[in-house]
Amino acid sequence: MPDPGFWQGKRVLLTGQTGFKGSWLMLWLEQLNAQVFGMALNCETTPCLFEQLFPCDASGQYLGDIRDPALVKQRIDEVEPDVILHLAAQALVLRSYRDPLEMGSAHILDALKGCKRQMAVIMVTTDKVYDNREWVHAYRETDRLGGHDPYSTSKAACELLVDSYRKSFFADSPVRIATARAGNVIGGGDWAENRIMPDIVRAIARGDDLEVRNPDAVRPWQHVLDPLAGYLCLAEKLWHDATLAEAFNFGPDPADQRPVRDLVEAAMSHWPGRWHCASASSQAHEAGHLTLSTDKARSRLKWRPRWSFSQAVGYTIDWYRANHAGACPRDLSLKQIAEFEKVLP
């Protein structure tokens, strides 16, 4: 897991390759000798992980807006993919309040209608698709979808859209479509705004106190390579088994679903810094308790998370500290992929 024999030579359309998870996934797919074709907007952050990992390689740097339906159709027709890994989307909860909805996923589904080519399609959404009732038990794929904020609602809507298209247009199609819901992902090279791990690293590097909005909020923390392994595993098995065209959670072990303060303190045990609580009654709503059940992925896909909470934090901070000291980001990432593959069966 993943199987190099499956990915060797496979034509893969990866949307969102300029984002945090997309950059890691593109690097891993290249190591598996897949033919990777991108479709994404330009990098939004400085620095940008994609530019750090692929400074001289233009092969996957195709820029295109998935909100343009004609361009999406043209790109799929050009690439003729065996696998589509759809990651391009609005990825930040707080940004969703000012830029709430996108239609890119619908354009991909529309472009695939009538396709006669066998294809495995993984549509990536989020753990926040569930109607969060602040339950202490982990959310399962059969729990009710919903969302308080525009980000969560738009992802839940994407899940419903995929399910509707799957039943209406792809029941007898060679195109098999599944959705994937990861936990709160951390890893080296995430430079996004208002996301806890980049905020920790920026504060430490500047010598500032870190302001933490919700230190007691519980989240399913996991290293980026764990859900990416899940996406690859799902695509491989979906290629061979149409009954897997469903939704799957890819979260951490139950013991690794921890409060934000645990993440901050663990990170600062590797790279010392200071933090304080900065909760305010006027801040945007964020769920207090969110955990994911991975029983379905364990049972149907034989997937399970490989790195613990402490390993995920350790590898993440090691990446940032080494990068801060001048190490090559691509070498750091390739080394961590190799370390991760050692614990795969």
Side-chain angles (χ1 to χ4, degrees):
M1 183 183 79
D3 176 12
F6 174 84
W7 293 101
Q8 172 79 37
K10 279 285 187 302
R11 297 177 66 83
V12 179
L13 175 60
L14 172 63
T15 74
Q17 82 277 12
T18 56
F20 167 56
K21 283 202 293 186
S23 298
W24 275 95
L25 187 50
M26 183 165 175
L27 186 66
W28 201 353
L29 285 165
E30 287 194 351
Q31 298 306 299
L32 293 168
N33 293 315
Q35 300 180 69
V36 188
F37 303 86
M39 184 170 188
L41 297 176
N42 208 345
C43 293
E44 293 187 343
T45 62
T46 303
C48 164
L49 181 61
F50 182 80
E51 293 175 349
Q52 291 179 307
L53 298 185
F54 306 98
C56 304
D57 181 4
S59 62
Q61 297 187 14
Y62 179 94
L63 297 179
D65 192 337
I66 62 166
R67 293 170 295 188
D68 181 339
L71 189 61
V72 170
K73 180 72 165 59
Q74 176 186 325
R75 187 60 172 158
I76 290 175
D77 289 345
E78 289 172 350
V79 173
E80 297 186 327
D82 302 304
V83 176
I84 294 179
L85 298 167
H86 173 47
L87 277 67
Q90 213 287 82
L92 299 170
V93 174
L94 293 183
R95 186 187 294 181
S96 74
Y97 283 93
R98 63 177 189 269
D99 185 15
L101 295 173
E102 296 174 349
M103 291 296 292
S105 300
H107 298 328
I108 288 177
L109 293 170
D110 276 331
L112 293 175
K113 285 192 298 186
C115 179
K116 304 300 183 187
R117 180 186 178 86
Q118 182 177 356
M119 200 180 307
V121 182
I122 309 301
M123 311 284 282
V124 175
T125 59
T126 176
D127 54 352
K128 297 173 183 61
V129 297
Y130 296 107
D131 182 16
N132 193 310
R133 307 293 184 89
E134 303 291 348
W135 291 332
V136 295
H137 72 253
Y139 287 89
R140 298 160 299 186
E141 289 85 347
T142 51
D143 283 327
R144 179 177 173 178
L145 302 178
H148 183 283
D149 55 82
Y151 172 87
S152 304
T153 301
S154 69
K155 305 303 182 185
C158 179
E159 289 277 353
L160 294 171
L161 187 72
V162 171
D163 190 50
S164 170
Y165 269 61
R166 201 160 39 210
K167 294 170 181 171
S168 301
F169 304 110
F170 298 101
D172 300 314
S173 169
V175 178
R176 299 164 179 177
I177 306 173
T179 58
R181 308 162 181 173
N184 278 50
V185 172
I186 60 174
D190 184 0
W191 304 109
E193 60 178 321
N194 293 316
R195 199 179 270 162
I196 186 64
M197 185 55 76
D199 287 348
I200 292 172
V201 171
R202 283 188 285 260
I204 294 174
R206 290 195 298 255
D208 294 342
D209 266 30
L210 173 69
E211 295 185 347
V212 180
R213 295 189 304 271
N214 297 302
D216 297 321
V218 174
R219 293 289 183 271
W221 307 108
Q222 59 187 159
H223 192 274
V224 63
L225 291 175
D226 258 321
L228 296 186
Y231 304 163
L232 297 175
C233 174
L234 177 55
E236 290 176 22
K237 294 182 182 296
L238 181 62
W239 177 268
H240 298 293
D241 183 355
T243 67
L244 296 173
E246 299 178 350
F248 286 86
N249 289 341
F250 295 103
D253 279 332
D256 293 330
Q257 316 206 49
R258 308 274 196 93
V260 172
R261 70 170 65 245
D262 283 10
L263 179 76
V264 175
E265 290 173 353
M268 291 185 176
S269 72
H270 290 273
W271 195 359
R274 304 180 307 275
W275 71 278
H276 65 272
C277 178
S279 299
S281 58
S282 59
Q283 68 190 32
H285 172 271
E286 292 185 83
H289 196 105
L290 174 58
T291 57
L292 282 182
S293 167
T294 57
D295 290 349
K296 183 177 178 181
R298 290 171 185 266
S299 172
R300 302 277 308 274
L301 305 176
K302 310 306 178 190
W303 172 91
R304 64 178 175 84
R306 303 294 165 170
W307 278 353
S308 66
F309 173 81
S310 60
Q311 287 175 304
V313 175
Y315 277 107
T316 298
I317 296 299
D318 285 350
W319 192 103
Y320 281 113
R321 289 198 77 170
N323 176 244
H324 187 67
C328 170
R330 183 179 174 90
D331 291 346
L332 292 170
S333 300
L334 288 173
K335 182 180 178 183
Q336 293 199 351
I337 289 173
E339 291 288 327
F340 187 84
E341 288 180 330
K342 289 179 183 177
V343 298
L344 297 175

